[in-house]
Amino acid sequence: MEYIPHTPEDIRRMLRTIGVPSVEDLFRDIPEEIRRGYRPLGLPGSSEPEVRRRFQELSRRNRALVPFLGGGLYDHYIPAVVDEIAGRSEFYTAYTPYQAEVSQGTLTWMFEYQTMICELTGMDVANASMYDGATALAEAVLMARRIVGGDRVLVPRSLNPFHREVLATYAHGAGIELVEVPFGDDGRLVLEDVPEGTIALVVQQPNGLGIIEDLSGLKERLGKAFLIVSVYPIALGILEPPGSFGADIVVGEGQPLGNPLSFGGPLLGIFATRKEYLRMMPGRVSGRTVDVEGREGYVMTLQTREQHIRRERATSNICTNSALCALRATVYLASLGPEGLRQVALLCLERAHDLAEAIQEIPGFELALRGPFFNEFAVRCPDPEGTVRRLQRHGFAVAPPEFVERMGVQDAFSVAVTEKRTPEEIEAFVQALRGD
Amino acid sequence: MATIYSKGKAGRKATSWPRLRRSLDELLGYIPEGMRRRELPRLPQVSQGELVRHYTALSRMNYGVDTGFYPLGSCTMKYNPKLHEIIARDPGFTELHPLFPEEAVQGILEALWQLGEFLKGIAGMPGITLQPAAGAHGELTGMLLIKRYFEDRGELGKRTVILLPDSAHGTNPASAAMAGFRVVPVPSNEEGTVDLKALEERLGEDVAGIMLTVPNTLGIFERDILTITRMVHEVGGLCYFDGANLNAFLGRARPGDMGADIFHFNLHKTFSTPHGGGGPGAGPLAVSESLIPYLPVPQIVREGDRFTLSYDLPKSIGKVHPFLGNALVMLKALAYILTLGDEGLREVSTGAVLAANYLRVRLREAYRIPYDGLCKHEFVASTKGLGVKALDVAKRLIDYGFHPPTIYFPLIVEEALMIEPTETETVETLDAFAEAMLRIAKEARESPELLHAAPHDTPVRRLDEVRAAREPILREPWTSQG
Amino acid sequence: MVPKELLYTKSHEWVKREDGTVRVGITDYAQKKLGDVVYVEFPQVGTKVKKGEAVVTVESVKAAESVYAPVSGEVVEVNEALSSSPGTVNRDPYGEGWLFVLKMDDPAELEELLGPEEYASIAGEG
C-alpha cells in the first residue's frame, strides 16, 4: 500500500539478511495462543479517493451554526498566514526538539511564544504549552501544592464548568478538596475567608459568566496561598494582566489565538509563572544559549524537571504537548502586533455591547448579571430553552441554559460575540430573538 | 537565528481589521478603570512579508519526517499522510464548536464513534475513552481508573503500589505518582524481560497494578506476558499496558488477549498523526469490562442511526479533558485505519519488524547489541567498546543527513541507541543508514575527533546546555511591564 | 586518591566530622559521573532527616541525583554559595563544594560509614 514501500523483493532480501525463512517467523516470539486469538476488524482497505469521499460525507452531515457561543472556546478570525506557516511540513512533521542542532526552527518559535505569553500575562516565565486550559489549571494547582502544601483549593462558582470538572478529577486523584467561592449580583467573586490549608485561590478572568473580575487586593489576602488566574488571552489585549496583581501562576485556554474551534480539540494550554518558581513549573521550555562557535541558538533546557529524567519525582508526567497549536498562536500574535491585538479585543467588546444593548430592548429579556463584561454575558428570559432552540432554527448557536445553570445562574443562556460577528449577523440574531 | 523580535519596526503590521464605530473612550468605559490595560504587550510589529520570510527561514532550519529519516526508538516516526491534513482542515470539522446541538454535529460524532469502535477491535477490549490528549494523559487517566476501581471495592487504603519494569518510559512512573501511587521498580533479567522471580517476591495485596510496555522498551516481546498478567490478577491487581509500541504487533495480536485491563494508544505514533514539533497527539484508552463503569464522561453512543453523548456513568471518574479529546487528531487516525484496512494494519507490523531486524543484523558487526535475539519493531544498540559516547555517534549521524536515534534510553543499557525505523522507510534508506552507522563506527576508531566535533554543517553546532541550565534565559530579556 | 581524613558512603557522599556535626558533600567520582552541575536543590534549614534519606538533589543537564543523609540529624547549614556557582561542586568537591551540615542525633552511626580505602575500592580508584 502507498505508505509502505516494501516490494516482495525487498521483503525477500530483508528476510535473507535477517536469516529467517518467512515473515511469520518474525512473530514467533508472540505466544501462539495470543496470535490465534486475533480477530480482524472486518474492514477492507480503501483508496485515497474513497477515503476522501467518506470524509466529505461525514463533513456534510455537520452544520456549522454561527457561533454566538463561548463557553471557553471562541470563534476568532485566523489570518491566512497562520495556516500557511503551520502547514509547512518542516514544522508539523518535526519531532520534539531534543536534537537542537536540527531543530532550531521549532526551538526559536518556542522561545518567541514563551516571550509573547509572558508579555500578555505579565509573568516572568512561560512553558511551551500544556494540552489545554483545563488541564493547565489542574497542573497549576498541583504545582502550587508542591510549593506551599495544603489540601484545599478555593474555586469560584463562576469558573467555567468544564474546567471545574477536569480540576475536580485531578484534585480527587491528589487528595485535594475543592471549596466554592460565591459571586455577588454583579457576577464578581466574593472572597470571604481563606481557611487553613488553602493551597490557592483560583480566579478566572473574565470568569465563566463573562464578567471582568477585580484582581486587585486578592493576593494580599491569601497569606502564603497562591493566586492562580485563568485567562482568556484575547481579553488581555485590553485588560491589565494578572502579573500586575501578584498572580503566582497564570493559565488559560489559548485556542482563541490562531486556532479554530476544532470541535474541542486540539486546544492550547497556557502556563506561566514567576521566576522564583521556574524549577517547579511543568512542561518543556526553550532556552537561549550559544554554540561552540559562539553563535546564538536555542535548546530545550531545565529538562531535569521532566519525566524522562525525574520519573516519579517529575514536576508532571507531561511529554507530548500542544506544540503546533502554540506555533499557530505565535504566528497569530506576531501577525497582529500589539495594536492589532488591542483592535481585535476592542471589536469584541464593541460588538458584544452592541448586542447586549439591543437584547435589553426586547421585552422580557435582560442581562442576568450587572457586572462589567468583555465579550460574553448571560441573558435571562422567560423561556431560555425555547429561545435557544429558536436561535438554532435560525442558524445561531449559544451556550445552552445548563451551562450557566451549573455556575448558579437560572433561567438564562450565555452569549459570546467576537470580531467575526458582523453587524448583519448581530441584527439577524436580534430578530431571531424577538421571534419575528 | 534571531527571533521575530529582531525584525520589523514600530508602525508596521501584518494584518488589518474592521474599524470600530465607537470611540476608544466610550469603549474603555465598559471596563473598570483599575482593570484597563496600562501598557500594551510587546509583540512584533512586522509587515506580512517580513513575517512570512522569518517563519519560512525558521522552517528551513528544521528536520522533519518530510525531510528525512528519524530512527527514533519509542517514537514511531512514520510517514504522515497528506490526505489527513486536508481532512483535518475541512471547515466542516474545524468550525464546529463542541457545544453545538447534537443534531448539528452528527458527522463528526459518527467519525469519533467509529474510531472508538475500531480502536476497541484493535485492542480486543470492550471499553474506550477518547478524551486523553496524549499518551501520558492516557496513563494518568488509567491510573485514576485503577484508583476508582479500588475505591469502589473499599480497598483503596491498602492498594498503594504500582509496579513497573526498570526499563519503563519516564511517563509511566510520573503518571503513577501523579495519581498518588507509590512506584516500585521490578528488575529485568539477563534477557531484558521482566524477572518473574523478582515479580513474585514483590507481588502482594498492596499492589494496585503493574504498568507494562509491550513489547518492552528494548524491543523485546515479553514471552511470559500471560504468566505476568495472571500473577498480577491473582493478587487482585490490574494490568496497564502502555501502547507506545503497538507498531510491533498491529493487526496480529490484541492486548486484551494478553491480559491487559487498560491500554492506551498513541495516535501520533502508531496511527501516523504528525508530531507537530512536540504535539498535539492523542492518547485514547481502551479498558476491560470491569473498568467501564469508571470511564470519563461523556461517552459517544449510537442509538439507531443517531449518535449522542451519554453521561450515564454514575461511577465515572469525571472529565480529564474539557470536551471530547483531540477531535481533529482523531479524524486523521480514522482516515489511516480506513485506508489500511485489516490487511494494511498487518502490513504495518510486518514492515516495522522486518525493518528493525534488518538494521539490527546489519549493525551488529560494529555495535554491541546487548539483547541480540529476534526483536520486534525496535532494538537497542550501545556504543560501549567503541571508545565514543552515544551522544557523539548521534551528532555525527547528523553530518550524514540522518536524525539521530533515541539516546540514553532505556536507562538499563549504558550508552544506548534505541533504533526504530518504522515500516514507511524504503530498504534503500535503511541501507544508507546502516552504511552511515558502520562508517561512523570506523571513524570512532580511526578519527574520533570527527565525532566529538559533530555536527559540522548545521545552522548551529553543539550548544552550551550547561550555560542554558545554569542561567536560564527563557524569553527575550527586555520586558514591557517594567 | 580520596582524602584520608574523611569518611564515605556507598552512595558516594563524603563526610567530615566537625564539632557535634558532620559536613557532607559528593566525591570526585560522583561529580565526574554527574557532569557539570547546573543546580543544587536544598531543603529548609531545620529539616530533620533519617540516615539514608535524600537531603539534597544535585542536577546536571541530563540527570538529577539525590544526595543522602549519612547519619540521622537536623540540617543546620546549606551551602548557599552554590546557587550562584553550582560548578564549584565539580571544581572542588571535597572543599568549597560541600553541600550541607547536619547536627548528629547519634555519633555512633558514624561507625557504619566507610573508610577511605574501602570507599576507594568501590569507586574503582587506586
Side-chain angles (χ1 to χ4, degrees), chain A residues 144-155:
Chain A
R145 185 171 66 170
R146 277 196 296 277
I147 299 170
V148 300
D151 57 6
R152 63 197 59 180
V153 59
L154 302 178
V155 177

Side-chain angles (χ1 to χ4, degrees), chain A residues 372-383:
Chain A
F373 62 91
F374 170 57
N375 74 338
E376 191 166 17
F377 52 92
V379 176
R380 181 164 284 131
C381 66
D383 175 21

Side-chain angles (χ1 to χ4, degrees), chain B residues 392 395-396 399 443 447-456 462:
Chain B
D392 296 318
K395 298 304 183 189
R396 184 60 177 152
D399 285 337
E443 286 173 354
S447 33
E449 64 287 351
L450 282 173
L451 279 71
H452 298 312
H456 295 85
R462 288 206 208 185

Side-chain angles (χ1 to χ4, degrees), chain A residues 1 3 5-6 10 13 17-18 24 26-27 29 33 37-43 45-46 51 54-55 58-59 61-63 65 70 73 88-95 99-103 105-106 111-112 114-116 118-120 124 131-132 135 165-166 169-170 172-173 205 236 238-240 261-266 278-279 284 287-293 295 298 301 307 311-312 317 320-321 323-324 335-338 343 346 349-350 353-354 357 392 397, chain B residues 3-5 15 17-18 21-22 24 27 30 35 37-38 41-44 54-55 58-59 61-63 65-66 70 72 75 80-82 87 90 92 94 96-97 100-101 104-105 107-108 110 136-137 140 147 151 168 170-171 174-175 177-179 226 248 251-254 257 268 274-280 317 319-322 325-328 338-342 358 361 374 376 395 423-425 427 431 455 459 461-464 468-469 473-476 480:
Chain A
M1 60 94 45
Y3 307 140
H6 306 317
D10 291 335
R13 171 143 90 83
T17 304
I18 296 167
E24 290 319 302
L26 293 173
F27 292 94
D29 52 349
E33 72 180 276
Y38 187 77
R39 294 282 165 272
L41 302 174
L43 181 67
S46 297
V51 175
R54 176 82 182 108
F55 277 88
L58 288 167
S59 169
R61 294 200 18 241
N62 300 313
R63 185 168 63 111
L65 298 166
L73 304 185
R88 289 186 71 88
S89 67
E90 300 94 327
F91 283 131
Y92 78 81
T93 69
Y95 183 57
Q99 296 292 348
E101 299 89 335
V102 292
S103 316
T106 300
F111 187 87
E112 295 174 2
Q114 287 159 199
T115 302
M116 293 177 190
C118 288
E119 283 294 304
L120 274 189
D124 302 320
Y131 311 134
D132 63 88
T135 55
E165 273 185 279
V166 170
T169 304
Y170 276 64
H172 184 80
Q205 177 72 307
L236 293 180
I238 53 178
L239 292 182
E240 183 67 7
L261 295 170
S262 312
F263 199 56
L278 167 58
R279 290 185 142 88
R284 299 179 183 137
R288 176 177 281 163
T289 184
V290 292
D291 78 348
V292 291
E293 290 180 10
R295 283 179 296 204
Y298 300 90
T301 189
Q307 45 76 29
R311 300 173 69 87
E312 69 271 14
N317 68 345
T320 294
N321 55 18
L324 201 70
S335 70
L336 263 62
Q343 186 77 356
L346 288 170
L349 185 74
E350 179 177 81
H353 285 79
D354 285 346
E357 279 148 30
Q392 284 167 8
Chain B
T3 69
I4 185 78
Y5 281 100
T15 52
W17 299 94
R21 268 181 20 259
R22 311 199 207 187
L24 190 57
L27 288 173
Y30 287 119
M35 297 309 301
R37 186 144 194 150
R38 294 189 279 270
R42 190 151 157 189
L43 294 173
H54 172 76
Y55 289 103
L58 285 191
S59 76
M61 294 198 291
N62 256 14
Y63 193 95
V65 171
D66 280 9
Y70 266 97
L72 279 169
C75 300
N80 308 135
K82 301 315 167 201
I87 288 170
D90 181 344
T94 63
L96 301 176
H97 192 298
F100 279 171
V105 293
I108 198 166
E110 176 174 350
H137 200 199
L140 177 63
K147 241 183 131 133
E151 207 169 32
T171 52
S175 304
M178 258 178 106
L226 291 169
R252 294 172 177 275
R254 305 181 306 179
D257 297 329
H268 47 294
H275 273 74
I317 58 170
K319 280 176 168 294
V320 295
H321 186 273
N326 285 348
L328 298 185
L338 287 174
T339 303
L340 258 47
D342 282 316
Y358 180 73
V361 166
L374 177 67
K376 297 258 71 63
K395 298 304 183 189
E423 73 286 4
T424 61
E425 297 301 327
V427 74
D431 283 334
R461 297 176 60 198
R462 288 206 208 185
L463 292 150
D464 189 345
I473 301 172
L474 307 180
R475 53 152 296 159
E476 292 284 6
S480 66

